[in-house]
Amino acid sequence: MKIFLIIVGIVIVIFAGLIILGNGFNKRNKKKRAEMEMANPLPKEKQHLLAYGAILSLYRLESPRILQVMENREILKDGLSAAWEVNNTEEAVQTLEWLLSEGHRTKFDELLLALKAGQSFTEEEVGKSQECYESAKEGMMKRLSFTKSNFDQVNTIAAWDFDRAVNIARWSYIVGYITEEQAWGYIKRAADAASPIFQSWNDYFISFAFGRAIAYEGKINDIIWKGKELLEEKDSIWNEFNIKRSSVQESVTLDKV
């Protein structure tokens, strides 16, 4: 019994230490992001556009409010090549056009609707998509307090495509594959496409999460913590800007892109 209590105590100490380390890392990262934002300020209308790429930005520990990133340019270029097979201007443009005009939603929206309707599939039919979908739904209900009514409102994984489009445009500009003007053009197209589809950032996050789960067959535990930051922290970019963009905002942004 004594040995058991000692082991439990050690586990608690280690767990508490990991939490402290994690909190310290998050504070340092937020400080770096704030410094980057001060050094590279953007008008509010452009920050609003970047909000549609906020999930992956935070996932990569970057600020969702600016184009610049902390990541080394060469590492970013290697990442674009390895993950996206983007090595030049032509491939960057092709990938961005695909994400904005087709993306994974054209193939997987039908599967999302079938899974929501309660249909069951074998692994031979859909790989790990169904397993990952169920895991994603459970994780969001547990950690973000989402309910069935939240999921009922989302019938597309389009946010998975739009968030990635914003970030691919951003990274392609940084490594020199497209101009800044081109990057803002693609980012605005993603925002314009997303704004009419979703009623809230909750819907947008759920759409992204289901896209990652179904199309990418990926777990979303790491993504959920970014969702908590975006949805729950008062100073987050999502709590500053509405998911909907007005026609006035769109015309102003067009003039400044």
Side-chain angles (χ1 to χ4, degrees):
M1 183 66 178
K2 186 177 180 181
I3 294 175
F4 173 76
L5 291 174
I6 290 173
I7 293 173
V8 170
I10 291 173
V11 170
I12 291 173
V13 169
I14 292 173
F15 184 69
L18 290 173
I19 291 175
I20 292 171
L21 286 173
N23 289 339
F25 176 81
N26 287 335
K27 286 181 180 179
R28 289 192 296 274
N29 178 253
K30 285 186 178 181
K31 182 180 178 182
K32 288 182 179 179
R33 280 161 33 196
E35 291 171 350
M36 288 280 289
E37 290 163 10
M38 289 182 66
N40 304 276
L42 283 176
K44 292 296 184 181
E45 58 267 23
K46 285 189 174 181
Q47 290 185 43
H48 195 169
L49 295 177
L50 289 172
Y52 297 87
I55 304 173
L56 276 182
S57 292
L58 289 184
Y59 177 70
R60 294 182 60 87
L61 305 178
E62 302 290 354
S63 168
R65 294 178 179 272
I66 57 175
L67 281 183
Q68 287 73 15
V69 299
M70 291 180 274
E71 185 72 88
N72 178 277
R73 184 175 178 272
E74 292 305 313
I75 293 177
L76 200 58
K77 184 178 287 189
D78 290 342
L80 279 170
S81 178
W84 288 90
E85 298 183 354
V86 169
N87 300 282
N88 52 50
T89 297
E90 182 180 0
E91 290 170 351
V93 169
Q94 287 176 347
T95 298
L96 286 162
E97 290 293 340
W98 175 76
L99 283 168
L100 292 169
S101 61
E102 299 178 43
H104 280 135
R105 61 193 180 278
T106 57
K107 178 179 179 180
F108 290 98
D109 274 0
E110 186 176 347
L111 176 57
L112 172 63
L113 294 177
L115 291 169
K116 286 181 61 179
Q119 290 183 273
S120 185
F121 299 88
T122 66
E123 191 166 324
E124 287 185 355
E125 292 175 308
V126 298
K128 294 188 178 298
S129 290
Q130 181 164 6
E131 176 188 336
C132 292
Y133 164 80
E134 296 294 347
S135 175
K137 191 164 63 170
E138 180 183 350
M140 285 186 280
M141 292 176 73
K142 182 178 180 180
R143 297 184 178 87
L144 296 174
S145 299
F146 287 164
T147 64
K148 182 179 180 297
S149 63
N150 292 120
F151 301 132
D152 287 345
Q153 297 181 73
V154 180
N155 295 313
T156 178
I157 65 164
W160 170 244
D161 292 324
F162 299 147
D163 191 288
R164 291 184 300 161
V166 171
N167 284 282
I168 294 296
R170 185 184 190 189
W171 303 334
S172 295
Y173 158 64
I174 291 169
V175 301
Y177 294 153
I178 62 176
T179 66
E180 182 175 358
E181 183 179 5
Q182 286 176 306
W184 283 117
Y186 286 119
I187 292 168
K188 183 179 182 299
R189 282 174 60 187
D192 286 350
S195 182
I197 295 175
F198 300 101
Q199 300 305 310
S200 69
W201 290 116
N202 277 2
D203 295 351
Y204 194 79
F205 182 80
I206 290 169
S207 174
F208 178 96
F210 281 157
R212 182 179 175 86
I214 295 171
Y216 184 67
E217 296 184 14
K219 301 294 184 181
I220 69 157
N221 291 338
D222 46 358
I223 295 295
I224 285 178
W225 300 112
K226 306 309 173 186
K228 284 185 73 69
E229 179 177 341
L230 287 165
L231 294 168
E232 298 178 7
E233 294 191 6
K234 291 182 179 180
D235 62 348
S236 80
I237 192 168
W238 279 4
N239 280 320
E240 180 174 355
F241 300 109
N242 197 291
I243 186 73
K244 298 296 186 182
R245 297 181 61 246
S246 69
S247 57
V248 173
Q249 288 174 315
E250 290 171 4
S251 63
V252 169
T253 304
L254 263 177
D255 293 338
K256 293 192 175 184
V257 166

